[in-house]
């Protein structure tokens, strides 16, 4: 090879997400056989994003998909998503989509159920909703890390491109339930709610790519709108120009109160920890999840 000729980078096969603008930011889509964490608080549109990923994959690219729901009833999920005009029942009948809710609570058994579901319809896309529920099977950070590593390995072995949903709190400083998961997966996409600069009681959805291996991508925040036909990724958002303000801005420790007072008004916020303690979640009444199996 001539000294002045640079070696060519390996070509990365991409999987279209169902969001053309997002695919443009991802150099064509998610890397094939990757596992991406889809993180966000309640109401940000995580389930809609995930189902749209499966729907357009099956409809436009002939890639069957499996949706593993660990909380919501499959029939309820399909019915709720039908408001976007998606014929999910036909996809289920033609084995292009499989929506299941496992009734087991052991992690090893759940892995086998996922593998069987993928094999049953030859799925190429997978959604796990949500990994936060799976965390109840682990007692410490080491088990969480090992469990996700095992799940990541099994998904890739089966030739699937996966979205794993993670529930986080508003104004969070980490991008998963415990702060461990985002370091293991291939990518992290964050959906969030931001406030209007003019009206602090008005919210709008936003989306950003926090991490994606083997991909040159922006870190900017873009609009994420949900309408009659599903969700859509739109234009880049700019403080002061798009009428929004960041939901969470870190401030240097020890900054004087006077300096804080002089900061731009649209960036004033209160930082709250987003780490969710498993022990707190297991307490009776702490969440709607049922803990009788633990």
């Amino acid at each position: 090879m001539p000294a002045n000729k640079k070696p060519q980078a390996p070509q990365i096969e991409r999987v279209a997400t169902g969001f053309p603008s997002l695919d443009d930011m991802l150099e064509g889509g998610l890397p094939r056989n990757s596992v991406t964490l889809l993180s966000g608080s309640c109401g940000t549109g995580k389930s809609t994003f995930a189902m749209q990923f499966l729907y357009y994959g099956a409809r436009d690219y002939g890639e069957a998909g499996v949706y593993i729901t660990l909380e919501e009833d499959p029939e309820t999920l399909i019915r709720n998503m039908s408001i976007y005009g998606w014929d999910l029942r036909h996809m289920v009948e033609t084995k292009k989509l499989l929506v299941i809710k496992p009734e087991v609570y052991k992690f090893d058994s759940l892995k086998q159920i996922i593998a069987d579901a993928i094999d049953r319809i030859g799925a190429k896309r997978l959604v796990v909703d949500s990994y936060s529920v799976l965390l109840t099977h682990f007692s410490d950070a080491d088990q969480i890390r090992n469990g996700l590593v095992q799940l990541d390995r099994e998904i890739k072995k089966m030739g699937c491109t996966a979205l794993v949903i993670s529930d986080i709190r508003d104004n969070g400083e980490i991008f998963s339930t415990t702060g461990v998961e985002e370091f293991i997966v291939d990518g992290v996409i964050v959906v969030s709610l931001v406030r209007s600069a003019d009206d602090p009681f008005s919210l709008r959805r936003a989306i950003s790519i926090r991490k994606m291996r083997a991909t040159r991508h922006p870190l900017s925040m873009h609009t994420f709108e949900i309408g009659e036909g599903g969700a859509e990724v739109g234009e880049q958002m700019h403080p002061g120009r798009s009428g929004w303000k960041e939901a969470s801005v870190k401030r240097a420790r020890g900054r004087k109160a006077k300096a804080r007072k002089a900061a731009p008004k649209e960036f004033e916020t209160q930082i709250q920890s987003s780490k969710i303690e498993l022990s707190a979640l297991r307490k009776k009444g702490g969440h709607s999840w049922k803990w009788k199996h633990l």
Side-chain angles (χ1 to χ4, degrees):
M1 179 183 295
N4 60 348
K5 188 175 181 180
K6 295 182 179 179
Q8 290 186 344
Q11 190 70 23
I12 304 297
E13 187 179 357
R14 301 283 169 175
V15 173
T17 61
F19 302 91
S21 297
L22 183 63
D23 291 339
D24 290 342
M25 290 185 275
L26 290 169
E27 300 185 307
L30 302 175
R32 170 91 49 196
N33 294 345
S34 63
V35 176
T36 297
L37 203 66
L38 179 62
S39 301
S41 59
C42 66
T44 51
K46 301 184 297 297
S47 296
T48 298
F49 182 107
M51 187 62 83
Q52 187 161 323
F53 169 70
L54 296 184
Y55 174 75
Y56 281 96
R59 194 194 72 171
D60 297 346
Y61 301 98
E63 295 185 348
V66 171
Y67 196 112
I68 304 293
T69 171
L70 298 177
E71 285 196 276
E72 194 168 5
D73 176 72
E75 283 298 315
T76 302
L77 181 63
I78 291 173
R79 183 176 65 249
N80 290 343
M81 293 295 171
S82 67
I83 64 171
Y84 304 123
W86 302 340
D87 194 355
L88 300 179
R89 295 190 187 281
H90 176 70
M91 288 188 169
V92 171
E93 292 169 359
T94 56
K95 297 185 178 180
K96 293 181 180 178
L97 175 67
L98 184 58
V99 183
I100 60 174
K101 181 182 180 182
E103 297 298 334
V104 298
Y105 302 105
K106 291 184 178 180
F107 183 64
D108 288 339
S109 299
L110 185 59
K111 286 192 301 180
Q112 187 59 51
I113 289 174
I114 293 174
D116 292 342
I118 291 172
D119 185 62
R120 193 185 313 171
I121 62 171
K124 294 297 181 183
R125 300 186 182 211
L126 171 70
V127 168
V128 178
D129 184 4
S130 69
Y131 191 72
S132 304
V133 178
L134 285 181
L135 295 182
T136 63
H137 302 287
F138 308 115
S139 59
D140 55 48
D142 287 338
Q143 287 190 10
I144 291 170
R145 180 180 292 273
N146 292 336
L148 186 53
V149 167
Q150 291 177 39
L151 185 62
D152 181 281
R153 186 185 302 121
E154 291 299 320
I155 290 171
K156 291 175 179 176
K157 187 188 301 182
M158 293 178 283
C160 265
T161 304
L163 289 178
V164 178
I165 292 177
S166 179
D167 302 313
I168 59 176
R169 292 180 180 175
D170 287 321
N171 304 340
E173 297 175 281
I174 61 175
F175 304 98
S176 62
T177 307
T178 67
V180 173
E181 301 94 296
E182 61 258 48
F183 297 102
I184 300 171
V185 295
D186 301 296
V188 177
I189 294 175
V190 182
V191 283
S192 55
L193 295 174
V194 296
R195 297 188 182 278
S196 168
D198 300 322
D199 181 3
F201 298 103
S202 179
L203 299 173
R204 71 181 306 181
R205 294 181 178 92
I207 190 169
S208 61
I209 306 165
R210 178 70 184 191
K211 163 188 172 181
M212 193 63 62
R213 289 172 181 159
T215 306
R216 292 182 293 270
H217 64 85
L219 292 170
S220 52
M221 190 175 289
H222 290 249
T223 60
F224 182 61
E225 306 290 347
I226 299 179
E228 292 183 358
E232 181 179 357
V233 177
E235 64 181 4
Q236 182 178 343
M237 304 175 75
H238 301 277
R241 288 198 293 157
S242 296
W244 67 281
K245 66 178 181 178
E246 292 183 79
S248 176
V249 179
K250 292 182 181 179
R251 301 191 179 281
R253 292 182 179 179
R255 183 177 293 180
K256 295 181 180 179
K258 184 177 180 180
R260 287 200 298 267
K261 188 175 181 180
K265 197 170 185 179
E266 63 268 23
F267 289 103
E268 286 295 335
T269 187
Q270 181 179 3
I271 302 299
Q272 297 179 354
S273 172
S274 66
K275 187 171 183 179
I276 298 176
E277 297 293 341
L278 297 181
S279 58
L281 283 178
R282 290 191 178 95
K283 291 180 180 178
K284 184 178 180 181
H287 195 278
S288 61
W289 300 337
K290 295 181 175 63
W291 304 103
K292 63 182 181 181
H293 57 279
L294 296 181

